[in-house]
Structure formats: structure tokens, C-alpha cells
Amino acid sequence: CHTRELAAYGGLAKVLPVIRPGGSDTATFDNVLEFLVRSGRSLPHAVLMMIPEPWSGNPDMDPAVRAFYEYHASLMEPWDGPASIAFTDGTLIGAVLDRNGLRPSRYLVTNDDLVIMASEVGVLDVAPERIVRKDRLRPGRMLLVDTARGAIVGEDEIKRELAAARPYA
């Protein structure tokens, strides 16, 4: 497209290229994520849009959440890993694992509200009596910490809120 043609679309030329040429896969992911967030989506929305959980063959999925994923599948292809993606906007801190689950991502939560995530357990020595939760990310799943609320946001809560925000079905 020519710049003159793009000017007719309210200055769209100012944001192009969305993906910087010659960037790595990680840089490309970052470019797309930033574009989606700057276009008005919340950070969790943009991440779940880019890396949805395996939803099409899941008969137990909430129909509203399925509609959310189905709608977004018509907008873009899922970002398939292998990848463990960490993200933040300064207030929300999160991580997702690719839909195939090929990268390990393990985390623990301590009794003094420290969240540690890494590809392997034991990257930091933490006394066992301090650990209140130990788990791993699963394919297409999200870990989200809201530092403003001082809480880990439940994945079901995130997805219910996103699915209810619009009539995706």
C-alpha cells in the first residue's frame, strides 16, 4: 500500500510497519502484542488472542469462552511455540505457555507473596516451609499477577470477564 492510500484511513501510515522487518520471532511477537494492546485490548485479552488454549476440541469449555476464542480465531492464527512467554505492563505480570506445551514453565508462591517462575525448579533456593503453592503452566494456560490488587488473578476469572465483555457468539 502507498502512504497516500493509507492516509485515507485516519493516519494508519503512522503505525506501519506493525512488525519491524528483520526481527526475531520474539521481536515479532512483541510487535504484535504491543499493537493489539495499543489498539484498545487489555494485556490478558491480547495474549489470549495470540496464544489461545486448545479450545476447538474441548467439550467441557464454557460456551462463552469458546465463542471468545472462535471469534478471535477468525482474526488471526494462533502463535504456536515452542514458547514460554512472560509479559507485563508495569501493573500486571503474567506468563503463558504455548498451546503445545513444549517449553517447561514452573512457578511457586511463597507465604510472603513472592512469585517465582522459571523453566526449571530450583533456580532459587527457597525454604520448603515458605512455599504455599507450587505448580506448572499448562498448554495455553495463563498465570497473571495483579500488583495493584496484590493478588494472583484466577484464569477462569480472566476468561469469564473477557468472554462476557462482548457478544462474541
Side-chain angles (χ1 to χ4, degrees):
C1 271
H2 295 8
T3 304
R4 276 182 287 151
E5 293 168 345
L6 292 173
Y9 295 103
L12 185 59
K14 292 178 185 177
V15 301
L16 296 178
V18 170
I19 299 171
R20 292 188 184 148
S24 65
D25 286 346
T26 302
T28 299
F29 182 92
D30 187 56
N31 291 159
V32 174
L33 182 61
E34 182 176 359
F35 177 77
L36 293 172
V37 170
R38 286 182 179 245
S39 69
R41 291 171 178 86
S42 70
L43 186 56
H45 183 149
V47 170
L48 289 174
M49 184 176 168
M50 292 179 69
I51 305 178
E53 66 183 293
W55 59 271
S56 63
N58 182 350
D60 300 324
M61 181 172 282
D62 177 331
V65 174
R66 176 185 305 284
F68 171 85
Y69 285 133
E70 189 171 17
Y71 174 86
H72 289 92
S74 70
L75 301 177
M76 68 184 305
E77 291 287 323
W79 201 279
D80 283 329
S84 177
I85 304 289
F87 55 88
T88 185
D89 64 3
T91 302
L92 298 175
I93 302 168
V96 292
L97 190 62
D98 68 273
R99 296 164 11 116
N100 299 312
L102 298 175
R103 294 271 188 213
S105 288
R106 301 180 193 321
Y107 67 93
L108 59 85
V109 181
T110 66
N111 56 11
D112 57 347
D113 296 328
L114 181 64
V115 178
I116 302 169
M117 189 189 91
S119 60
E120 300 298 328
V121 294
V123 294
L124 293 176
D125 291 328
V126 178
E129 62 272 9
R130 288 184 57 210
I131 299 171
V132 295
R133 181 175 170 194
K134 190 185 246 184
D135 206 349
R136 67 180 177 85
L137 285 178
R138 287 168 178 74
R141 306 300 289 197
M142 179 182 289
L143 171 65
L144 187 68
V145 177
D146 184 337
T147 62
R149 288 177 29 194
I152 294 176
V153 183
E155 187 175 43
D156 291 338
E157 176 186 349
I158 297 165
K159 291 176 182 177
R160 268 194 320 273
E161 287 178 9
L162 290 172
R166 303 271 187 272
Y168 290 110

